[in-house]
Amino acid sequence: VWLEKIGADTLLNKKGTTWRKLSADEQQFALSNEANLIETLIAHPSLIKRPVLQTSTGYLVGFDETAYQQLAAS
């Protein structure tokens, strides 16, 4: 569901050490299609940006202090 609602570009943490430790072939495999990405995310859950919060207006992915303050104020 997250991939459908949020998209791979937002959900996949390419800045983390887990992504950097994957070989170029593994990275290409993950990016080649959604099924491969899901397989890679299952094998390496730390590739998912955290936290993922579902709100009444959508999703917040990753820590953003400003967005959290706005959420708390509403």
Side-chain angles (χ1 to χ4, degrees):
V1 173
W2 286 349
L3 281 176
E4 294 171 12
K5 301 284 184 180
I6 301 169
D9 290 337
T10 302
L11 191 62
L12 181 61
N13 183 5
K14 292 182 183 177
K15 294 181 181 179
T17 57
T18 303
W19 179 257
R20 291 191 305 262
K21 287 181 182 179
L22 295 178
S23 69
D25 289 340
E26 290 171 314
Q27 290 176 359
Q28 186 60 39
F29 173 82
L31 297 174
S32 64
N33 63 55
E34 187 174 294
N36 291 351
L37 178 57
I38 291 169
E39 182 180 326
T40 303
L41 292 174
I42 290 170
H44 304 281
S46 60
L47 289 173
I48 299 171
K49 284 184 189 171
R50 292 186 179 96
V52 177
L53 284 151
Q54 182 177 355
T55 71
S56 61
T57 59
Y59 291 88
L60 294 175
V61 179
F63 182 74
D64 180 342
E65 187 173 351
T66 304
Y68 278 42
Q69 287 174 351
Q70 291 173 349
L71 181 63
S74 59

